Amino acid sequence: MGQVKYSHSRLDAKKSSCSPATVAVLIGVCLLGVWMFMPSSVIPGQNPNIPVQVSKTEDAIVSNNLSSQFEDNTGDLPEAAMNDVVSQKTPQDEKTSKGDGNDNSKEPVSINEDTNTIVPQTNKGDNFEEKKLEDNINTEGLPAGDQSEILKETHSENGAFSTQAAESASEKESQKQENVYKWKICNVTTGPDFIPCLDNYGALRKIHSTIHYEHRERHCPAESPTCLVALPKGYKIPIMWPRSRDQIWFNNVPRTKLAEVKGHQNWVKVTGEYLTFPGGGTQFINGALHYIDHIQESFPDIEWGKRTRVILDVGCGVASFGGYLFDRDVIAMSFAPKDEHEAQVQFALERGIPAISAVMGTQRLPFPSKVFDAIHCARCRVPWHIEGGKLLLELNRLLRPGGYFVWSATPVYRKGEEDLQIWEAMSKLTMAMCWERMVIYKDKLNQVGAAIYRKPTSNKCYENRQENDPPLCENKDDPDAIWNVELQACMHKIPVDSSVRGSNWPKMWPERLDSPPYWLKSTETGVYGKPAPQDFADDYKHWKNVVTKSYLNGLGIYWSSIRNVMDMRSIYGGFAAALRDLNVWVMNVVPLDSPDTLPIIYERGLFGIYHNWCESFSTYPRTYDLLHADHLFSTAKKRCKLESVIAEVDRVLRPEGKLIVRDNTEIITEIENMVKSMHWNVRLSYSKEKEGLLCVEKTLWRPTEVETLAYTYQ
């Protein structure tokens, strides 16, 4: 393991041969350590049906050439670095951040350890308003300046003055970058709510049928846009969690249809300048928490927050069910289509609740098989029983053996003709699928009910069926292949080998978080070249060190303002696991050309999704507070325009949201120049031995020029 010692310097005028007037005081900075992983991987990646110019082994080398990851073993950043290097900010909960005020106190800087220089990162015309720091920063145990080495001056003869040559060169470089990146605003039908792969009306016009919800599926443009999405009129910095669960700014999601249609069911209400969420829904008018607890009381085996940790919520509405599951230590991957239930997923994300825009249509959902502890559907209007039960069989693919399906819908508790027909069809289908009906309960307060089914843990029932209907999938069918893979009306066999994933239930939460899955074998090589269980453990240790000793105190991030987090290139979920004690949730994204480690992430009680970063993510604009990209951009650049990926980052990130990038110095420099051209604030830029760390903050700036995207018009 490579280590770099911390260095802190203070030049004493009395001991210097120079006069005090010519002495330049150098501020010491904390050097971040390096954790080296050996390159090797046996974990397969998704087959995205896209040209990949780098092999899996090469991709692992990029990930592991760490120099490529910094590890802080000796402590937090020094006090001088925290006070003078990084400006810390707190969000304005009740006011809109101007993004163009004056900051005359502390400037963000760029740190180059190879040249021992500290360079101010103030952008012309892009100052920002300094905010009061509400957190107390722990500086105990930090190295004192007079106990450290003295940094050597490289151009001491210049004293505190620059040169005309340097000033002119800097200005020319600045003008050059301004000429390179000319951002424009996206002129699109959906305006501030633009989702490129869901608002491609040019592609939708070519669809001949919508019977399978093809018009709600992803149809990405041939080339991802490089324009920036507009802000809604009157947009304000979002209200912080947990208040946001109950109340958001109306101007941020100015939609009234759900309040008008579902207001009597306590989904959402318009209250002055706010949208309020009483915590209800169609099936739980009197509150989601009562509904959640009633499930536990009716069926104690579900064990919220212990046995059942990660669930899928189908047709989530405004996701109040998922929002209140946090109180029971359960996380829900909620999804709903972008349909006539206007902005339901956008409401959820603005509230600080996990959700994505997706539909059960013709293709598999972007999750691996056998990963969800439970799946929930509260009157989600999905026709589970039609076409051989194809859609319910997709849930069967996603559900762990022994996992539960909670079906809270009118056929369970109403006796209308249509309800009775659906109930009969569902009873026949679930029996043929070998699902055991555990309980049917009635909630007298909400006047609803639910049926809870359990997926089998062996193949005995499959083998004893009189009819092979639904049929078992062919052995060659890979249940974990999902990208643009069509749904099939078949069932995969239950794993019976005790060393195979899915044959046993994970450990109880929270023990499963830091325990290597039982099916990770020491005889197999992990992503970083060590035996897989050791690889897992070292990754977790690494990210705990980075988060606790660098990210929490050294980047100028006010973590109380952070709620929605995305790890854009997750391996084992170590970054998300290291944030467990914070009031955040993390969407772990495994790119299609990365090792397929997403099942490991679910096994430890976290969640995530597969994605191709050459396309847009299935979320609304301005939905994440922090994006983390560990060697993502250097790999994405080999397949697509980096400008389009950065435009997508800008679309997804909220104003005042943070982007943390760890990558090689060339990529760091390129990303830094791009975000400066978008008037973002550079909080910290660090480079050492061809590797870099960058922390930047998005502002409210939008360009004035317009780019019309013809395919977005109906």
Side-chain angles (χ1 to χ4, degrees), residues 653-701:
L653 198 60
R654 290 170 170 172
E656 292 198 0
K658 311 299 188 294
L659 168 67
I660 301 174
V661 183
R662 308 171 81 92
D663 222 305
N664 63 61
T665 52
E666 291 80 6
I667 289 293
I668 291 292
T669 300
E670 193 170 358
I671 299 297
E672 185 173 344
N673 287 331
M674 282 191 194
V675 298
K676 281 182 178 179
S677 69
M678 295 191 295
H679 298 262
W680 288 23
N681 297 320
V682 179
R683 313 307 303 149
L684 178 69
S685 180
Y686 172 88
S687 62
K688 173 70 173 177
E689 297 178 356
K690 297 184 180 181
E691 289 296 325
L693 171 65
L694 178 69
C695 180
V696 293
E697 178 186 70
K698 178 180 174 179
T699 66
L700 289 163
W701 178 84

Side-chain angles (χ1 to χ4, degrees), residues 253 255 258 275 277 342-351:
V253 192
R255 301 286 184 266
L258 273 180
L275 288 164
F277 300 85
E342 194 176 58
Q344 52 191 331
V345 167
Q346 191 175 20
F347 282 133
L349 288 159
E350 184 73 15
R351 297 172 70 190

Side-chain angles (χ1 to χ4, degrees), residues 290-304 307-308 311 321 373-378 392 399-400 402-409 411-413 423 426-427 430-431 434-443 448-456 505:
H290 165 80
Y291 175 82
I292 291 165
D293 290 341
H294 197 275
I295 293 174
Q296 173 86 51
E297 293 167 5
S298 303
F299 186 62
D301 288 354
I302 203 162
E303 293 186 279
W304 294 130
R307 184 184 190 272
T308 302
I311 75 165
F321 178 66
D373 304 334
I375 297 178
H376 172 258
C377 166
L392 195 62
L399 195 58
R400 291 186 188 280
Y404 300 114
F405 175 57
V406 181
W407 187 41
S408 174
V412 178
Y413 57 90
W423 174 255
M426 279 289 286
S427 297
T430 53
M431 184 177 296
C434 295
W435 282 11
E436 181 183 2
R437 192 167 69 209
M438 307 302 295
V439 67
I440 298 177
Y441 74 83
K442 299 291 178 67
D443 182 349
V448 299
I452 300 178
Y453 300 87
R454 183 174 184 260
K455 180 178 176 178
W505 196 263

Side-chain angles (χ1 to χ4, degrees), residues 412-476:
V412 178
Y413 57 90
R414 288 185 181 172
K415 303 301 181 182
E417 182 178 352
E418 183 181 7
D419 290 321
L420 289 173
Q421 290 176 354
I422 294 175
W423 174 255
E424 183 178 348
M426 279 289 286
S427 297
K428 182 179 179 181
L429 176 60
T430 53
M431 184 177 296
M433 292 171 58
C434 295
W435 282 11
E436 181 183 2
R437 192 167 69 209
M438 307 302 295
V439 67
I440 298 177
Y441 74 83
K442 299 291 178 67
D443 182 349
K444 294 182 180 179
L445 178 62
N446 287 316
Q447 296 183 343
V448 299
I452 300 178
Y453 300 87
R454 183 174 184 260
K455 180 178 176 178
T457 57
S458 74
N459 295 306
K460 184 177 180 180
C461 175
Y462 296 159
E463 296 166 353
N464 292 334
R465 291 185 305 166
Q466 293 182 352
E467 297 181 7
N468 188 31
D469 185 25
L472 293 177
C473 300
E474 296 182 10
N475 292 333
K476 65 180 182 180

Side-chain angles (χ1 to χ4, degrees), residues 309-310 400 506 509-515 517 536 539-540 571-578 598-607:
R309 161 65 180 173
V310 186
R400 291 186 188 280
W509 176 263
E511 186 181 358
R512 64 194 279 189
L513 179 70
D514 53 11
S515 301
F536 173 96
D539 177 80
Y540 186 31
I571 302 298
Y572 296 119
F575 170 67
L598 193 51
I600 299 173
I601 292 170
Y602 276 91
E603 193 78 7
R604 67 192 305 183
L606 306 171
F607 60 35

